[in-house]
Amino acid sequence: MRLDKYLADGGAGSRSQVKEYIKKGKVSVNGIIVKNADASVGDDDVVECMGKRYSAGKFRYYMLNKPVDVVSATTDNRDRTVIDILKECDVNVKDLFPVGRLDKDTEGLLLITDDGQLSHELLSPKKHVDKTYEVGLRDLFTTEMERKLTEGVDIGEKRPTMPAKVQIINDKKILLTIREGKFHQVKRMLMAVGNEVIYLKRLKMGPLSLDDSLGQGEFRELSDCEINALKTIHEGK
Ligand code: URA
């Protein structure tokens, strides 16, 4: 694809704006300034305009370790958003959005992409994508609570929750795997069994695991292997 089209499609500006950027030496391909708008670029090239990386015709996928106090939205009048985190690191955030939501006080794995179809599939109730959370509890976790969670509990919806998987870490900490994604679901499930969530972190979503080298607020692009794993859900496998 021509360089100017590649950049315009990728959101760097209009075709005439990007031609100007190219002429002024603001565009590099694989680290080398290129001043020809008709230079040919492809999927494997790293194209940057004024320090930001662009990619045309290819979806982008980022894994964020969401910190607390940041909201899972694209824009917000009051709070910093997960998209602001990427923008502050000079990522071109055009069309990016978080796949589903984590509460403001929840941390951990959040997928950010511009692939609407994949997002739809991951969030679809029909696909039953497992989500695993590390859950810190106010009170001791009992075998009775475990039994109820694994059978399904009434959180005030039409039906009880689907059976969850529970792994006990200690008296006040569990790993909980659920298949639905109702509003405040984990907090409501623990409330329904007489306990209370005081700490919540998502560790897994389908085949994707939070990279434990990512500190709070850090992100990275997904590997090809991770993207392919997500696409197996997408294809209904
Ligand atoms: N369940 C919750 O209660 N909150 C979250 O952020 C995610 C799952």
Side-chain angles (χ1 to χ4, degrees):
M1 189 189 289
R2 280 176 60 111
L3 179 58
D4 55 350
K5 178 165 167 42
Y6 185 98
L7 279 168
D9 287 357
S14 67
R15 196 76 174 255
S16 56
Q17 278 171 330
V18 300
K19 278 186 177 158
E20 267 313 293
Y21 298 147
I22 295 168
K23 211 157 76 184
K24 288 185 174 154
K26 294 182 174 176
V27 173
S28 67
V29 180
N30 304 323
I32 297 164
I33 302 285
V34 173
K35 292 192 173 179
N36 300 334
D38 63 357
S40 173
V41 284
D43 279 352
D44 295 334
D45 291 314
V46 175
V47 179
E48 290 180 314
C49 178
M50 293 182 283
K52 281 192 194 179
R53 187 167 168 186
Y54 290 88
S55 46
K58 235 174 110 180
F59 290 122
R60 291 167 299 150
Y61 305 89
Y62 294 91
M63 170 190 298
L64 169 71
N65 182 0
K66 178 193 167 300
V68 293
D69 288 338
V70 169
V71 292
S72 303
T74 48
T75 56
D76 193 274
N77 289 336
R78 223 182 31 199
D79 291 310
R80 188 171 174 230
T81 71
V82 291
I83 299 298
D84 290 334
I85 294 180
L86 273 68
K87 206 190 296 182
E88 287 156 14
C89 293
D90 283 338
V91 171
N92 161 32
V93 296
K94 182 174 181 281
D95 298 333
L96 291 179
F97 60 87
V99 176
R101 280 167 188 269
L102 290 177
D103 297 337
K104 188 172 166 184
D105 59 357
T106 300
E107 55 186 84
L109 175 64
L110 191 66
L111 175 63
I112 295 181
T113 184
D114 52 358
D115 184 344
Q117 180 68 25
L118 178 72
S119 165
H120 179 75
E121 305 269 347
L122 282 171
L123 299 176
S124 163
K126 287 189 202 133
K127 296 276 173 175
H128 299 316
V129 173
D130 280 350
K131 279 128 332 222
T132 300
Y133 294 86
E134 181 182 328
V135 188
L137 298 162
R138 183 196 58 195
D139 300 320
L140 294 183
F141 189 70
T142 63
T143 47
E144 181 63 2
M145 291 174 188
E146 180 180 10
R147 185 186 61 76
K148 287 182 179 164
L149 291 172
T150 53
E151 284 174 0
V153 291
D154 179 2
I155 58 167
E157 300 279 334
K158 272 194 213 130
R159 296 196 194 95
T161 56
M162 292 173 76
K165 284 186 210 137
V166 176
Q167 199 184 324
I168 298 172
I169 306 293
N170 64 36
D171 285 356
K172 291 191 174 184
K173 192 189 277 187
I174 60 169
L175 295 185
L176 186 71
T177 301
I178 59 172
R179 303 204 128 180
E180 303 125 303
K182 302 239 159 56
F183 184 63
H184 293 331
Q185 179 156 342
V186 175
K187 291 173 185 163
R188 286 160 71 200
M189 287 174 77
L190 270 301
M191 196 66 87
V193 299
N195 210 319
E196 193 180 321
V197 173
I198 55 165
Y199 170 80
L200 192 56
K201 178 175 185 177
R202 184 157 64 195
L203 301 178
K204 286 193 80 182
M205 184 174 190
L208 203 58
S209 294
L210 180 64
D211 180 339
D212 57 18
S213 72
L214 291 177
Q216 280 197 28
E218 292 182 342
F219 62 89
R220 66 158 170 82
E221 287 192 66
L222 293 194
S223 65
D224 288 344
C225 186
E226 288 167 329
I227 296 170
N228 288 336
L230 284 176
K231 287 190 173 163
T232 59
I233 293 176
H234 192 37
E235 289 154 10
K237 285 181 192 161

